[in-house]
Amino acid sequence: MTWHDLAKRATDIYDNSLKKTLELFPLDDEALKEFESLPSARGKTVEDYGSPAKVPIDVFREKMPEKSLAITEKDPCELLQDLKSGKVTCVQVLTAYFHAAIFASKLVNCIYEFLPEEAMALAKMLDSGDKNLPLYGLPLSLKEMIPFKGRAVTHGSLCYLDRVVDYNADIVNILVSAGAVPFVRTTNPQSLMMLECESWTHGRTVNPYNSSLTCGGSTGGEGALHGIGASAFGLGSDIGGSIRCPSAFNGIYGLRSTVGRLPSSDYFSCQLGSESILSVTGPMTRSLALLDLVMKTITDSSPWLVDPSLYPLPWKAPKKEKLKIGILYDDGLVAPQPPVARALKMVAEQLSKMSNVEVVPFKPYKHDKAWEIITSLYFEDGGADTRSTMERSGEPMLPQTEWILTGKHVKPLEPKGIWSWNIEKVKYRKEYLAHWLSQGAPDAVIAPVFPGPACKPRTSRYWGYTAQWNLLDYPGMAFPVTTVDPDLDAPVKDYKPRNEMDEFVWKQYDSAESFANAPVALCAVGLRNSDETVVEVAKILEKK
C-alpha cells in the first residue's frame, strides 16, 4: 500500500464522518446549498490545498444558517446559563455547533474527524439528566492526538491509521463527567513538531482571518476552529508553542499550563516516553471566563488521584491587590515585527495607567542558550523515531518537519549525553530564576508569542518566544490584543539584522497588506505553578 493509498484512507475517515454528521444533524435545503457552494480549503487530495476564500471568517458569518449562528456566536458562558435554565437543549446547541464545524471544515480545513454518534448519544443523555454540571452541554473539540475511544490516533502520521484506542484520555473523561460533549477531532501536523498545520492526513489548515497565512500549530485545527467561532472550547498540547501560537494566530485565548497541573501523560506523540522536555495540555477558547472555569473544573475533580504525575494543587484566584508586571520587548535574538512591537507598547501603556499594576522593564537572559538546550533534548535519538514514522508509510517529509529535524543541535545522544544536557537544563533554570528575581521579581511578564502575526505557510522557523518558556516550564497565557493595521504597521526599511534568523524573520514581513486582518497577540508568562496569575493578567487586560 502506497502513502497515497494511506492518505486516501485518512480522507475517507473525514468524508464518512461528515456524511454521518449530515444524516444525524441535517442542514435544510437552503443551508446545504450554501455549504456546497462554499470556497474550499480542502482539495481533491491531500496534495491539493483547494481554493479557500481570502477571508474565510467573513464567508462563514455570511453563509452560516442564522438559527445556528445565533447559538454559536453567543458567549459560551452565557450559552452555558441558557443550557442550565432550559432555554435551549443540549441537542439544539450541539446541532448548531455541528453546523458551524461543517462550514468551518470546508472553509479552513480544520476537522480531522466528526463524532456525530457519540455526541448525539451524550447530548440526549444530558437533556434527560442533571443540569447541575459545571460544563453542562458545552461542545468540546479535541486535538486529534488526544486519545478518544474507538478512534485511531495518528498525530499526523499515516503509519498510525490502524492505532485505534479503546479508552479516552483521562482529561476527556473528566470533562465529559462535567457535562462537556466531545463533537470533533481537529487537525494536527506531520510529527506534531511544527508551528503550522500541514500533514498528509488532511492537507493544510488555513487561517480564518487571512487564508494566505498559517493557522499555527501544532494545535492548528483547534486554533482555526475557535478562531472562526465553531467550538465552545477545546484541548491542545504544547511542547514548544503548540497551544500559544495557534491561539495567537487566530485571536483566541490559550493556556500553556505548568507541567503537573493537568493530566496529559496518556497523550500520544513521537518520542513517546522521553521526559527531558515534557509536553503539557491546556484549554483553548474564545472566552476567557470559560477558560478559567475549565481549569477550575478539571482541578476540582482531583485529577492527581487519577494521574499520579500531577501535583495536588487546586485552582485558586490570586489574592494580591497589586501586580508587578514586566515587559519583554525583545529576546535579544530576533526582533518583533511592527504589529507585535506595537502591541507590546499598547499593553505596556494600558497597564501603566492601572492603579493595581506596577510595570517594570524585563531584560532577556541568554535566550540563545535556551534554544540550544531545548533543541538538543527535543530529539534525544537525533530524530530517528520521527523519521521512522515517515519511512514506515513512505510519506514525504514536509519542509517544516525537515527544518526542525536538521537543526544544528539535533543529534543522537548516548545516555551520558542526555544526562549532560539535562544538567545544563537544570543549571539554566536556576540561573533564569535568579535573573527573574533580579528584574524586580515580577508576578508575570508580557512577551511576544511569535515575532509577528500569523506567518506565511512553511516559514514558521523561529520558536524562541515560546520554546523558551517550555524549557523553563513557565506557564504562558496567549491573549489577543489587536489586528494588523496597514497604516500603523509598515515594515522597517533600514533594519540591520543581528543574525541569520533575525534577517529571515525581518524579510518575511514584506508588507502590512500581506498580513491584512491577522490577529496580533501577546503572552503573559509567570513562574512555575503561577497559572492562575497569568490568567488573571489576561482578565485585567480584557476588562480594560
Side-chain angles (χ1 to χ4, degrees), residues 124-138:
K124 286 182 175 179
M125 183 182 74
L126 288 167
D127 275 333
S128 61
D130 180 15
K131 290 182 171 60
N132 190 31
L133 295 171
L135 301 173
Y136 178 75
L138 288 181

Side-chain angles (χ1 to χ4, degrees), residues 152-155 157-164 270 385 389 392:
V153 182
T154 72
H155 56 71
S157 299
L158 291 171
C159 68
Y160 292 124
L161 283 170
D162 291 322
R163 187 170 61 184
V164 177
C270 292
D385 184 59
T389 64
R392 286 153 62 186

